Amino acid sequence: MSLRLALAALLLAGAASAAAAEPLGRLFYTAQERQALVAARQRGEPVEALSPTGSGEAATPRLISLAGIVERGSRPPLAWINGTAVEDGASLHGLRVRIAPPGIRLQPPLGPAHTLAVGQTLDLDSGRILDRLPPGSLAVEPRR
């Protein structure tokens, strides 16, 4: 019994020293970033990325990926974009999101809209739409 206790204490001490070896640092650098986080939450916007420059503005992702769409009966559908659930009509990184299964339409304030199907990614720098799987990489055999 005491051998088990000693072994457990040794494992816990090792885990504690490994955790202490990597300091967490600061989570928020300025009062402006904290205010931006609270404001974004109140607007219902995703808050996963704040600018490291301290400007308090959300960083714009360079890739927008549509992982899936969930239809919820009488409630509005949700789109899973960059790992975040987004409702129809929401604004995501300056783009208006319209959910129309089997895909979504992303409308920037200026310029043409982009339509994504589930599994596609929009490169904001080039405007190209990328597929997770290259064309012809998936073959389906007919049922027998």
Side-chain angles (χ1 to χ4, degrees):
M1 182 72 161
S2 63
L3 180 61
R4 287 184 184 174
L5 186 59
L7 184 57
L10 182 62
L11 289 173
L12 287 175
S17 66
E22 296 180 29
L24 289 176
R26 291 185 177 174
L27 296 177
F28 303 105
Y29 297 104
T30 67
Q32 294 166 330
E33 287 181 344
R34 290 190 295 274
Q35 291 170 350
L37 178 63
V38 169
R41 283 185 177 153
Q42 289 173 346
R43 290 189 304 267
E45 294 177 3
V47 292
E48 70 275 359
L50 284 178
S51 169
T53 64
S55 66
E57 296 178 7
T60 303
R62 303 317 309 160
L63 299 174
I64 303 286
S65 297
L66 177 60
I69 295 175
V70 178
E71 295 186 73
R72 308 180 297 166
S74 62
R75 296 172 56 195
L78 289 175
W80 284 95
I81 303 172
N82 290 355
T84 302
V86 178
E87 291 187 350
D88 185 44
S91 177
L92 177 68
H93 303 290
L95 302 169
R96 178 70 57 195
V97 178
R98 290 291 173 201
I99 302 172
I104 62 169
R105 186 172 176 83
L106 300 169
Q107 179 67 55
L110 300 171
H114 302 280
T115 302
L116 291 179
V118 173
Q120 291 183 326
T121 299
L122 170 64
D123 182 338
L124 292 174
D125 292 327
S126 67
R128 291 181 48 212
I129 294 178
L130 313 167
D131 285 313
R132 286 187 183 167
L133 296 174
S137 64
L138 183 63
V140 179
E141 294 183 18
R143 288 187 176 178
R144 296 179 190 178

